[in-house]
Amino acid sequence: MNLPITPQQRLDRISEDGMCIGCGLCESIAGRDVVRMEVVENGYERPVVCGGLSHETVDRIMDLCPGTRVEGLPVALVDETTQHDLVWGAYQSMVLGHASDPQVRHQGSTGGVLTALGQFLVETGEVEFILHAKASERDPTFGDRALSRTSAEVLAAAGSRYGPTAPLIDILRQLDTGKRFAFIGKPCDVAALRNLALYDQRVDAQVDTMLAMVCGGFMPPEGMTNFLDRELGITKSEVTSLRYRGFGCPGPTRVETRDGRVAERGYTEFWGTHESMWVLPFRCKVCPDGIGEAADIAVSDTWPGGSPDPAQEADDLGTNALVVRTSRGQDLVE
């Protein structure tokens, strides 16, 4: 006899199958009194049911979750100027670029393009704020959803966050403000926002631009704990600040502790000098879109050979590659 499956079991299935990316959209859809993103036993942030979850709400979450649904650029954003590449997908142009401000270029990691674009949008008043990620004040190895309303706030959140982050944890509340904003996140976060746009017209009306970094996955909690312990001799509870990269091209992973110790490791040292040493969440290993196919602009690192040369890093000021996918993205770049 098959027992009826409960709404909670249906929602839990996403995490149990390893498909949750921790974006936080489900909390916003269900409401924080029903579903809440919390750090669970395995160290990840995952949706935890804490109220009366209905099948109707789970149906909506299943339709929107980037663990169950990832699509490319919406058909409405493909126009007569759109080109198609078998590797890179739909695009208007592909260009190399970097932030013109030397500080932004250096602090932003690689070339600072996403930071510079975010600053331009708030400086010109095209948007009222940038919805993106910054280092968490709760746990420095995590990221937190950030709302940046000034150029200085955008810069303060610069540097790629390679830890778990839930940038869409209150996306409906941000739409409720009626304000226009831009989004910067991982390709899967952008996919979730595009999914939401199919049900909520406010997304297209209020989200001026969706920007994504070309993504190779993030360091899962167990990987970071092992790195801190085995490589640095630091326990996670001692960490007060962690910068994954930035202040260089790409800049070192830098850890600071409560007792004043500072440890730095290069990009290849952090990720491992060989691909067999990489540690990634399962969802990242099966990701159908690491190149931001649903974004207005996807921005990547550019290093000859695919990774930075530690011997040349001090002389490399950093340059990004931009895959400009939509007319809105092209206008912004120009």
Side-chain angles (χ1 to χ4, degrees), residues 230-244:
R230 299 173 186 174
E231 180 68 22
L232 305 180
I234 296 172
T235 61
K236 187 177 176 181
S237 61
E238 297 177 284
V239 177
T240 56
S241 174
L242 190 148
R243 188 174 72 233
Y244 286 88

Side-chain angles (χ1 to χ4, degrees), residues 152-169:
E153 290 176 343
V154 175
L155 181 60
S160 302
R161 298 303 304 169
Y162 281 128
T165 307
L168 300 176
I169 201 165

Side-chain angles (χ1 to χ4, degrees), residues 5-331:
I5 190 170
T6 67
Q8 178 171 342
Q9 288 172 325
R10 292 178 62 204
L11 182 64
D12 288 346
R13 183 68 183 272
I14 299 174
S15 297
E16 291 168 358
D17 287 349
M19 299 308 293
C20 177
I21 202 63
C23 70
L25 179 60
C26 52
E27 177 179 319
S28 190
I29 296 299
R32 186 168 173 77
D33 57 336
V34 176
V35 173
R36 188 172 302 169
M37 296 297 292
E38 294 182 357
V39 178
V40 297
E41 188 176 353
N42 63 8
Y44 286 90
E45 261 190 323
R46 291 291 181 257
V48 175
V49 177
C50 53
L53 182 64
S54 68
H55 281 293
E56 290 75 17
T57 299
V58 178
D59 288 342
R60 178 59 55 89
I61 291 171
M62 288 289 188
D63 284 342
L64 304 181
C65 174
T68 64
R69 175 180 179 179
V70 173
E71 299 186 12
L73 201 64
V75 174
L77 298 182
V78 178
D79 58 28
E80 67 278 0
T81 61
T82 302
Q83 304 179 67
H84 295 272
D85 182 86
L86 292 178
V87 173
W88 293 101
Y91 72 99
Q92 300 275 333
S93 64
M94 297 189 195
V95 297
L96 296 176
H98 60 78
S100 58
D101 184 325
Q103 180 187 4
V104 176
R105 186 179 187 182
H106 179 69
Q107 188 169 330
S109 170
T110 307
V113 162
L114 287 172
T115 302
L117 291 175
Q119 288 181 315
F120 174 81
L121 286 167
V122 294
E123 286 172 356
T124 59
E126 293 193 33
V127 302
E128 296 200 43
F129 61 87
I130 306 296
L131 171 57
H132 57 159
K134 68 176 182 180
S136 174
E137 296 179 0
R138 303 171 292 115
D139 180 344
T141 68
F142 279 56
D144 276 344
R145 186 278 281 136
L147 304 178
S148 294
R149 295 178 172 82
T150 68
S151 181
E153 290 176 343
V154 175
L155 181 60
S160 302
R161 298 303 304 169
Y162 281 128
T165 307
L168 300 176
I169 201 165
D170 63 351
I171 182 62
L172 294 187
R173 183 151 60 93
Q174 303 310 323
L175 292 170
D176 286 343
T177 67
K179 296 179 179 178
R180 193 167 180 80
F181 60 94
F183 179 76
I184 302 176
K186 302 185 300 300
C188 52
D189 300 326
V190 171
L193 200 51
R194 292 292 190 198
N195 290 344
L196 180 60
L198 298 175
Y199 292 88
D200 193 326
Q201 296 180 348
R202 297 177 301 172
V203 175
D204 289 336
Q206 292 173 229
V207 182
D208 175 88
T209 318
M210 299 185 195
L211 307 175
M213 65 287 291
V214 170
C215 182
F218 67 86
M219 180 69 80
E222 68 269 23
M224 176 52 69
T225 299
N226 290 338
F227 172 77
L228 292 171
D229 182 42
R230 299 173 186 174
E231 180 68 22
L232 305 180
I234 296 172
T235 61
K236 187 177 176 181
S237 61
E238 297 177 284
V239 177
T240 56
S241 174
L242 190 148
R243 188 174 72 233
Y244 286 88
R245 53 189 285 188
F247 291 88
C249 180
T253 297
R254 178 184 173 91
V255 179
E256 300 178 15
T257 66
R258 299 184 191 283
D259 59 5
R261 286 176 291 162
V262 175
E264 291 189 349
R265 293 294 185 273
Y267 180 85
T268 53
E269 292 178 289
F270 174 67
W271 284 105
T273 55
H274 190 274
E275 289 185 8
S276 64
M277 297 174 63
W278 288 3
V279 181
L280 292 173
F282 176 77
R283 170 62 176 77
C284 294
K285 292 180 180 180
V286 298
C287 177
D289 175 24
I291 58 174
E293 290 195 71
D296 291 290
I297 305 172
V299 178
S300 77
D301 298 317
T302 53
W303 296 309
S307 62
D309 181 351
Q312 303 295 324
E313 191 171 326
D315 299 321
D316 186 356
L317 298 179
T319 301
N320 291 119
L322 289 74
V323 183
V324 184
R325 300 195 181 280
T326 67
S327 295
R328 170 56 190 145
Q330 191 67 37
D331 290 343

